[in-house]
Amino acid sequence: NEITARKERQQDERRNNKGQRKDEDAAEGEKTNEREQARLDRIEEACKAAEERAIAAVPQPATWAGRLRYEEQCQKAAAEARKNAIKEEARKEELRKKEAEERRIRDEQRRKEQEERRKR
């Protein structure tokens, strides 16, 4: 009876640990999804702003005949601006990652130095 009770307790603990891990994984997944959504939102905002600036820079046609060419120029300018905005956001993201990594390394070194001082 005692052995059976111990085995059941161990199984319950394992089940709880698995459930806790699943909850933690789900929470981490939500954080990752939120970060990814924020990144996509930043890219979309940058693209919209770049497209608006590019379209505004295209000269207005003086005649109705120039209207079709104007539309094509707007589409080309918007597509180019969108492409450049995506590249720029990717560059900024890489820079942010690099800075975060450097910050992490500096913090780690600072912690090690503080531990060394405490030991002395």
Side-chain angles (χ1 to χ4, degrees):
N1 285 341
E2 190 176 315
I3 294 170
T4 306
R6 190 178 332 134
K7 284 183 180 179
E8 287 176 1
R9 276 196 306 274
Q10 288 174 345
Q11 283 179 342
D12 289 343
E13 286 175 12
R14 281 191 213 114
R15 282 190 204 111
N16 287 338
N17 288 342
K18 284 181 184 176
Q20 186 177 2
R21 253 185 274 129
K22 283 182 183 177
D23 292 344
E24 290 170 359
D25 290 348
E28 184 61 35
E30 287 176 16
K31 286 180 189 174
T32 302
N33 289 341
E34 289 171 6
R35 279 190 226 111
E36 181 64 16
Q37 189 59 47
R39 187 181 75 79
L40 293 174
D41 290 344
R42 280 194 307 273
I43 291 171
E44 188 61 32
E45 288 298 317
C47 288
K48 283 181 184 177
E51 286 174 349
E52 288 172 4
R53 286 191 304 272
I55 289 171
V58 175
Q60 291 283 337
T63 62
W64 281 104
R67 187 80 182 152
L68 183 60
R69 226 173 79 244
Y70 169 76
E71 292 292 330
E72 289 173 359
Q73 288 174 337
C74 284
Q75 287 178 353
K76 283 181 183 178
E80 185 69 22
R82 184 173 195 82
K83 183 178 78 173
N84 291 340
I86 289 171
K87 284 181 184 177
E88 180 64 17
E89 282 299 313
R91 187 189 66 75
K92 287 179 183 177
E93 185 70 25
E94 284 301 314
L95 186 61
R96 278 192 287 271
K97 284 180 182 178
K98 185 178 177 183
E99 288 173 350
E101 181 65 19
E102 289 172 356
R103 204 170 29 253
R104 186 189 64 76
I105 290 170
R106 278 195 310 271
D107 291 346
E108 196 173 297
Q109 281 181 325
R110 198 174 300 127
R111 274 194 297 275
K112 286 180 182 178
E113 289 171 2
Q114 287 174 351
E115 282 181 29
E116 286 295 320
R117 283 189 214 121
R118 278 189 225 127
K119 288 179 182 178
R120 291 179 192 161

